[in-house]
């Protein structure tokens, strides 16, 4: 495991009772494990660095060898030793099991709080000890295989989907907050897809796994020409990913960066398309929560597609996937209620973000800028942006008012739905005045 796929799993036993040490050593060697033993804390640390084990068995009442160290650690050396091993780069994910005669609920809690994965009381049952070791070593092995898959998918590598689908990796597109995105080909159909993987470290985190699966499910349920469509979700013990249609083109952000402000009628047509996509989300009781120029892809015919549903959630979903005080999303484009951490968001938050994107397209500049996230947030909460028409004299007052209403700080002063935005944009494109502003 630790050195090559065919090597024996390596176990380090820190136990000062020679009879227990001998019994455990024989038991594990017969079961096919490579085992090293230490009868002191200092010896355990020395072997750990050289041996790089896959699992450690620790006795709690273990002498450290040097009296001054033992005094510093107190009587129960094993607890502090566990903490030390957890701080070691090799010990971050490695299973640590206490093997001890120390019983009682408080001691078990103390051991788990010290960083242990399991607590086995002597005298132990050999079959149960082996079963627990197999369980922890197997989990570590699955995690390592998933890490190799998710972070090391080389061009040409193949991964299996559901119902016999096979995807061949072409290249890495990028990395997000929770995983890596690859460009791949679905063999048999000869079509390009995007494969979004979940980092292995999140496979054991219920909240993060739930968030990823929510994103995947929401994407696969969408069916609209202006929204990226999910194809399938694949979950296994060692791998979690979903495949979605690959949308080639350039982002709105790249368009503005290369060409500057977008001509107002063209910008209106693009925003009209994204507005239709948001209307579809609203019809499914979903919100996107991360509408921004980087998430709008344009093809050569100016067809706009809204992508990346990493923050999408049901409007009336139970529970929050945003830790209090932690902002999910891009600070330049978040609505005031998002930066306040409000939970009951609705589609009007997406309309604010779309309005800030509209603002960037028409002026070539972000409506709120600052050197720090806090500075940007303060502007968002307490200031109105300079009207679009004042920053770009080529923009009509009608369009400027539409953007202003989309970006109203008070949510009740914004458009109430994407359909209203679509209606007003349609009127302006036909030479009429907007009616919903």
């Amino acid at each position: 495991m630790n050195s090559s796929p065919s090597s024996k799993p390596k176990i380090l036993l820190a136990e000062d009772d020679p009879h227990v040490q001998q019994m455990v050593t024989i038991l594990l060697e017969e079961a096919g494990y490579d085992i090293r033993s230490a009868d002191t804390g200092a010896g355990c640390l020395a072997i750990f660095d050289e041996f790089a084990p896959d699992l450690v068995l620790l006795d709690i009442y273990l002498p450290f060898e040097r009296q001054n160290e033992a005094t510093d650690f107190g009587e129960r050396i094993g607890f502090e030793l566990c903490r030390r091993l957890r701080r070691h780069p090799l010990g971050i994910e490695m299973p640590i099991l206490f093997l001890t005669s120390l019983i009682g609920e408080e001691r078990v809690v103390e051991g788990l709080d010290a960083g242990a994965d399991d607590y086995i009381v002597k005298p132990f049952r050999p079959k149960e000890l082996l079963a627990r070791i197999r369980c922890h070593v197997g989990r570590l092995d699955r995690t390592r295989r998933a890490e190799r898959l998710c972070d090391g998918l080389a061009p040409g590598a193949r991964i299996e989907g559901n119902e016999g689908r096979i995807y061949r990796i072409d290249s890495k597109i990028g990395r997000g907050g929770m995983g890596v995105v690859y460009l791949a080909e679905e063999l048999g159909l000869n079509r390009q897809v995007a494969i979004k993987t979940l980092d292995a470290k999140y496979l054991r985190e219920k909240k993060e796994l739930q968030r990823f699966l929510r994103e995947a499910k929401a994407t696969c349920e969408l069916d609209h020409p202006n929204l990226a469509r999910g194809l399938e979700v694949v979950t296994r013990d060692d791998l979690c990913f979903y495949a979605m249609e690959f949308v080639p083109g350039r982002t709105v952000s790249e368009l503005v960066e290369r060409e500057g402000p977008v001509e107002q009628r063209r910008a209106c047509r693009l925003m009209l398309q994204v507005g239709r996509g948001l209307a579809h989300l609203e019809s499914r009781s979903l919100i996107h929560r991360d509408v921004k120029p980087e998430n709008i892809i344009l093809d050569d015919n100016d067809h706009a597609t809204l992508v990346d549903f990493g923050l999408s959630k049901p409007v009336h979903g139970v529970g929050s996937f945003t830790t209090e005080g932690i902002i999910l999303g891009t600070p330049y484009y978040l609505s005031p209620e998002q930066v306040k951490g409000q939970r009951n968001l609705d589609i009007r938050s997406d309309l604010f973000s779309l309005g800030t994107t509209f603002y960037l397209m028409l002026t070539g500049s972000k409506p709120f800028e600052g050197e720090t996230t806090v500075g940007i947030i303060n502007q968002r909460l307490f200031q109105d942006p300079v009207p679009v028409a004042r920053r770009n004299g080529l923009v009509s007052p009608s369009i400027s008012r539409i953007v202003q209403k989309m970006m109203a700080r008070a949510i009740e002063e914004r458009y109430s739905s994407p359909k209203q935005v679509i209606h007003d944009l349609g009127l302006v494109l036909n030479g009429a005045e907007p009616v919903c502003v």
Side-chain angles (χ1 to χ4, degrees):
M1 280 183 59
N2 215 310
S3 57
S4 68
S6 61
S7 62
K8 297 180 179 179
K10 299 190 290 187
I11 296 179
L12 172 57
L13 170 64
E15 170 63 64
D16 65 325
D17 185 326
H19 300 292
V20 175
Q21 189 180 108
Q22 182 182 27
M23 180 174 62
V24 173
T25 299
I26 293 173
L27 179 69
L28 295 181
E29 285 181 343
E30 289 181 349
Y33 294 99
D34 183 3
I35 183 167
R36 302 280 180 88
S37 300
D39 55 10
T40 66
C44 174
L45 291 175
I47 294 175
F48 183 84
D49 284 329
E50 177 265 331
F51 188 47
D54 297 301
L55 180 144
V56 173
L57 288 170
L58 274 181
D59 185 15
I60 291 177
Y61 284 113
L62 189 71
F64 197 86
E65 192 169 73
R66 293 191 294 275
Q67 186 60 39
N68 64 321
E69 292 268 9
T71 302
D72 292 341
F73 287 177
E75 188 178 17
R76 296 188 290 272
I77 297 294
F79 289 145
E80 180 58 31
L81 196 58
C82 180
R83 295 186 185 98
R84 278 201 176 191
L85 294 178
R86 277 285 177 246
R87 292 193 293 267
H88 193 287
L90 295 176
I92 295 175
E93 293 186 338
M94 178 198 64
I96 299 176
L97 284 61
F98 277 126
L99 188 61
T100 178
S101 57
L102 196 61
I103 61 175
E105 182 179 355
E106 291 184 1
R107 296 294 172 257
V108 174
V109 171
E110 187 177 0
L112 297 177
D113 285 344
D117 296 285
D118 210 341
Y119 195 99
I120 302 170
V121 177
K122 303 173 188 174
F124 57 84
R125 291 183 288 272
K127 288 185 178 180
E128 180 182 349
L129 176 64
L130 281 176
R132 290 179 184 242
I133 290 174
R134 281 197 302 269
C135 175
H136 289 289
V137 170
R139 185 178 295 117
L140 179 66
D141 184 35
R142 290 192 297 273
T143 298
R144 288 173 175 170
R145 284 190 284 122
E147 287 173 344
R148 289 194 295 270
L149 282 171
C150 291
D151 290 329
L153 288 174
R158 300 187 180 196
I159 55 175
E160 185 177 348
N162 299 320
E163 300 179 354
R165 297 185 182 92
I166 300 294
Y167 301 102
R168 183 178 62 207
I169 301 299
D170 289 338
S171 62
K172 181 187 291 187
I173 298 174
R175 165 171 281 282
M178 297 175 66
V180 180
V181 183
Y182 296 93
L183 175 64
E185 179 184 352
E186 183 176 354
L187 300 182
L189 296 181
N190 296 320
R191 67 174 174 181
Q192 286 189 314
V193 300
I195 299 289
K196 190 165 189 176
T197 62
L198 179 66
D199 280 346
K201 62 185 177 182
Y202 294 124
L203 293 175
R204 302 181 303 280
E205 300 290 338
K206 182 178 179 180
K207 182 172 70 173
E208 302 300 343
L209 179 60
Q210 189 178 11
R211 179 181 162 198
F212 183 85
L213 292 176
R214 182 192 70 232
E215 168 190 347
K217 181 180 178 182
T219 305
C220 290
E221 290 177 348
L222 298 173
D223 185 15
H224 191 274
N226 298 114
L227 299 175
R229 185 168 55 93
L231 303 174
E232 69 165 341
V233 186
V234 179
T235 57
R236 298 198 292 266
D237 286 342
D238 59 352
L239 181 62
C240 184
F241 72 90
Y242 71 90
M244 60 188 302
E245 67 170 325
F246 174 69
V247 182
R250 58 177 174 172
T251 67
V252 164
S253 179
E254 291 170 335
L255 170 67
V256 174
E257 183 179 347
R258 294 175 186 176
E259 301 182 11
V262 180
E263 189 274 324
Q264 61 177 350
R265 291 185 61 81
R266 182 186 183 191
C268 285
R269 287 192 294 269
L270 295 175
M271 292 297 95
L272 191 64
Q273 294 179 64
V274 181
R276 290 170 180 152
L278 291 181
H280 182 71
L281 283 181
E282 186 184 30
S283 72
R284 305 299 299 268
S285 297
L286 289 169
I287 56 176
H288 189 284
R289 298 209 304 169
D290 199 23
V291 177
K292 59 184 179 181
E294 291 81 2
N295 283 343
I296 300 172
I297 308 295
L298 310 177
D299 68 11
D300 292 338
N301 297 314
D302 260 7
H303 178 84
T305 305
L306 181 61
V307 301
D308 197 345
F309 296 84
L311 299 177
S312 61
K313 63 171 289 185
V315 173
H316 304 294
V318 178
S320 171
F321 293 85
T322 305
T323 304
E324 186 174 355
I326 302 297
I327 296 173
L328 293 180
T330 305
Y332 290 114
Y333 303 98
L334 291 178
S335 67
E337 56 272 19
Q338 282 178 288
V339 301
K340 289 178 183 178
Q342 295 180 8
R343 297 190 177 191
N344 297 321
L345 303 177
D346 60 36
I347 198 68
R348 290 174 293 180
S349 286
D350 283 346
L351 293 180
F352 182 96
S353 300
L354 186 62
T356 60
T357 300
F358 202 0
Y359 191 103
L360 173 78
M361 295 178 70
L362 294 168
T363 66
S365 302
K366 301 178 183 71
F368 306 104
E369 296 191 86
E371 295 182 358
T372 66
T373 299
V374 172
I376 298 168
I377 289 173
N378 283 336
Q379 293 180 56
R380 183 75 37 81
L381 295 176
F382 304 112
Q383 299 178 23
D384 292 321
V386 177
V388 168
R390 283 175 51 187
R391 298 190 70 167
N392 182 354
L394 298 177
V395 176
S396 72
S398 298
I399 293 175
S400 185
R401 290 200 305 273
I402 291 175
V403 176
Q404 187 174 350
K405 187 171 181 66
M406 293 173 73
M407 294 183 61
R409 279 185 287 154
I411 190 169
E412 63 274 7
E413 295 179 5
R414 279 177 228 152
Y415 286 101
S416 63
S417 72
K419 290 181 179 179
Q420 288 187 335
V421 177
I422 293 168
H423 182 69
D424 272 356
L425 288 174
L427 288 173
V428 169
L429 286 171
N430 286 314
E433 288 295 311
V435 297
C436 299
V437 292

